[in-house]
Amino acid sequence: MEFYQKEIGLPAFNRGFHLVTPLVLKEFPEIRNIQCGFLQVFIKHTSASLSLNENADPTVREDFESHFNQMVPENMPYYKHDYEGSDDMPAHIKASILGNQLLLPITSGDLNLGTWQGVYLCEHRDHASSRKLVCTAFGQV
Amino acid sequence: MEFYQKEIGLPAFNRGFHLVTPLVLKEFPEIRNIQCGFLQVFIKHTSASLSLNENADPTVREDFESHFNQMVPENMPYYKHDYEGSDDMPAHIKASILGNQLLLPITSGDLNLGTWQGVYLCEHRDHASSRKLVCTAFGQV
Amino acid sequence: MEFYQKEIGLPAFNRGFHLVTPLVLKEFPEIRNIQCGFLQVFIKHTSASLSLNENADPTVREDFESHFNQMVPENMPYYKHDYEGSDDMPAHIKASILGNQLLLPITSGDLNLGTWQGVYLCEHRDHASSRKLVCTAFGQV
């Protein structure tokens, strides 16, 4: 039984949905040591989020951005928390809808994901800086 | 400390929300060995999802389907990813809203869920085939 | 490697989003024993949920309530499950959108959260009673 934990800084991304699987995995060669277990990817922010979705067609990620902007619009008359910009309160809501962590199974030293599953960084702010992740792999070695 | 992991194939379901707790549990008698730990149920797909919700009244599951179709409609003019059918892009979005995994506590050899909690397979495609789950139970024996 | 698990009863809250990080942590001093691991907070209900979001400005939590009421309205004509009140079916849907559990990394005896992250109890019913959580901390000691 082993635990490996480290903090990873992602580069700043534009607002939108971004495939970051390779960025995470290149920082975590320790996954190869785990026969059966998990990798958790946790984001330490409240206006960006993580999701697992289609990893092939970039228009899927564009459609995610379009739909979330329609489902959680800016400038709704009922928003009270507006002094950090019109993108701020929607960013918090989107982050809670999508979630702040992924828990990915590991089998025989590799993530055991579906063929089309990739890790999305969902950046909900217009002018975000880099984002910090806490990544923890654990399981039987 | 033990880990038990296996892949389970669920039968093809119609589009909608389906209670599958018994289908998962009958494949995992090893839960009885765990005194304190977890069962993760992870779906290896990007157009179906998992949720934990009301396990008694089937109309709850019908209302989930109705509301998600209203909240994430087909044929929105901003969708670019449309060549796999009008149900495809909404399926991806619904999957990220609901999530791809459940992490259920185990206490004294049983799932420690609320009385009304059951595992939903949320099938978002019109004509899906069977879905693969990775189920991992771990904890103190 | 240790596991600590206990059930915690939260007091009844009004409908809305409530910061409960201190209520959870005061029941779980065992976190200090864990060098690397996790605390899972799991809610045993289907009409209340848990989320991790902004812990400073109370208007953020008010805006969450406003937006979720707009995104998942009461009295939609397609709801069939309505005999427990107009707040009931929306409560189930909100609970699945937000999720029933948090998995929080522990580093050196403390939760490793972002500066602005706090645990929300999201109470979706008008007249709820107290809510039960199963909290499980595990990891290397």
Side-chain angles (χ1 to χ4, degrees):
Chain A
M1 182 74 195
E2 289 289 345
F3 274 80
Y4 307 98
Q5 188 177 69
K6 60 183 83 169
E7 294 204 23
I8 293 174
L10 291 182
F13 281 96
N14 289 334
R15 178 166 160 170
F17 290 70
H18 307 279
L19 197 58
V20 298
T21 324
L23 284 177
V24 172
L25 290 184
K26 81 170 188 200
E27 304 280 349
F28 237 107
E30 296 85 352
I31 291 172
R32 290 175 201 275
N33 301 335
I34 296 178
Q35 292 309 302
C36 179
F38 296 96
L39 172 67
Q40 190 206 36
V41 188
F42 178 93
I43 190 163
K44 297 180 76 168
H45 301 272
T46 63
S47 58
S49 56
L50 297 168
S51 193
L52 195 67
N53 216 296
E54 211 260 5
N55 60 13
D57 181 351
T59 65
V60 171
R61 280 142 17 224
E62 295 174 35
D63 290 354
F64 263 92
E65 177 66 13
S66 301
H67 186 70
F68 271 82
N69 289 339
Q70 187 264 358
M71 195 168 70
V72 189
E74 300 191 7
N75 299 311
M76 294 302 273
Y78 47 74
Y79 291 150
K80 298 174 182 169
H81 177 82
D82 56 8
Y83 57 88
E84 290 180 55
S86 65
D87 59 322
D88 184 56
M89 192 59 225
H92 290 308
I93 295 172
K94 291 169 182 174
S96 277
I97 292 173
L98 286 159
N100 64 294
Q101 63 101 25
L102 300 173
L103 186 64
L104 309 173
I106 296 172
T107 308
S108 304
D110 264 317
L111 294 186
N112 189 350
L113 305 182
T115 309
W116 307 106
Q117 288 181 312
V119 175
Y120 285 12
L121 171 73
C122 317
E123 178 54 72
H124 306 305
R125 295 304 307 267
D126 287 339
H127 305 290
S129 52
S130 67
R131 298 295 196 170
K132 272 179 279 182
L133 307 178
V134 185
C135 297
T136 311
F138 67 101
Q140 288 178 318
V141 294
Chain B
M1 184 71 195
E2 289 288 343
F3 274 80
Y4 307 97
Q5 189 177 68
K6 59 182 85 170
E7 294 205 24
I8 293 174
L10 291 181
F13 281 97
N14 290 333
R15 179 167 160 171
F17 291 69
H18 306 278
L19 197 58
V20 298
T21 323
L23 284 177
V24 173
L25 289 184
K26 81 169 189 203
E27 304 281 348
F28 238 107
E30 296 85 352
I31 291 171
R32 288 175 203 274
N33 301 335
I34 296 177
Q35 291 310 302
C36 178
F38 296 97
L39 172 67
Q40 190 206 36
V41 188
F42 178 92
I43 191 164
K44 296 180 77 168
H45 300 272
T46 63
S47 57
S49 57
L50 296 168
S51 193
L52 196 66
N53 217 296
E54 211 261 5
N55 61 13
D57 181 352
T59 65
V60 170
R61 288 161 346 242
E62 296 174 34
D63 291 355
F64 263 92
E65 175 66 11
S66 300
H67 186 72
F68 271 82
N69 290 338
Q70 187 265 358
M71 194 169 70
V72 189
E74 300 192 7
N75 300 309
M76 295 301 274
Y78 47 75
Y79 291 150
K80 297 175 184 170
H81 177 83
D82 56 8
Y83 57 89
E84 290 181 55
S86 64
D87 59 322
D88 184 55
M89 192 60 224
H92 290 307
I93 296 172
K94 291 169 182 174
S96 277
I97 293 172
L98 286 160
N100 64 293
Q101 64 101 26
L102 300 173
L103 186 64
L104 309 173
I106 296 172
T107 307
S108 304
D110 265 316
L111 293 185
N112 190 350
L113 305 181
T115 309
W116 307 106
Q117 288 182 312
V119 175
Y120 285 12
L121 171 74
C122 317
E123 177 54 70
H124 306 304
R125 296 303 307 266
D126 288 337
H127 305 290
S129 51
S130 66
R131 299 295 195 172
K132 272 179 281 183
L133 307 178
V134 185
C135 297
T136 310
F138 67 99
Q140 288 179 319
V141 294
Chain C
M1 182 73 195
E2 289 288 344
F3 274 81
Y4 306 97
Q5 189 178 67
K6 61 183 83 170
E7 294 205 23
I8 292 175
L10 291 182
F13 280 97
N14 290 333
R15 179 166 160 171
F17 290 70
H18 306 279
L19 198 57
V20 297
T21 323
L23 284 178
V24 173
L25 290 183
K26 82 169 188 199
E27 304 281 348
F28 237 108
E30 295 85 351
I31 290 171
R32 290 175 202 273
N33 301 335
I34 295 178
Q35 292 310 302
C36 179
F38 296 96
L39 172 67
Q40 191 206 36
V41 188
F42 178 93
I43 191 164
K44 297 180 76 169
H45 300 271
T46 63
S47 58
S49 56
L50 297 168
S51 194
L52 196 67
N53 217 296
E54 211 261 6
N55 60 13
D57 181 351
T59 65
V60 171
R61 292 172 327 253
E62 295 174 34
D63 290 355
F64 263 92
E65 177 66 12
S66 300
H67 186 71
F68 271 82
N69 290 339
Q70 187 264 357
M71 195 169 70
V72 189
E74 301 192 7
N75 300 310
M76 295 302 273
Y78 47 74
Y79 291 150
K80 297 174 182 169
H81 177 83
D82 57 9
Y83 58 88
E84 291 180 55
S86 64
D87 59 322
D88 183 56
M89 192 59 224
H92 291 307
I93 296 172
K94 292 168 182 174
S96 277
I97 292 173
L98 287 159
N100 64 293
Q101 64 100 26
L102 300 173
L103 185 63
L104 309 173
I106 296 172
T107 307
S108 304
D110 264 317
L111 293 186
N112 190 349
L113 305 182
T115 309
W116 307 106
Q117 289 181 311
V119 176
Y120 285 13
L121 171 73
C122 318
E123 178 53 71
H124 306 304
R125 296 303 307 267
D126 287 339
H127 305 291
S129 51
S130 67
R131 299 295 195 171
K132 272 179 280 182
L133 307 178
V134 186
C135 297
T136 312
F138 67 101
Q140 288 179 319
V141 295

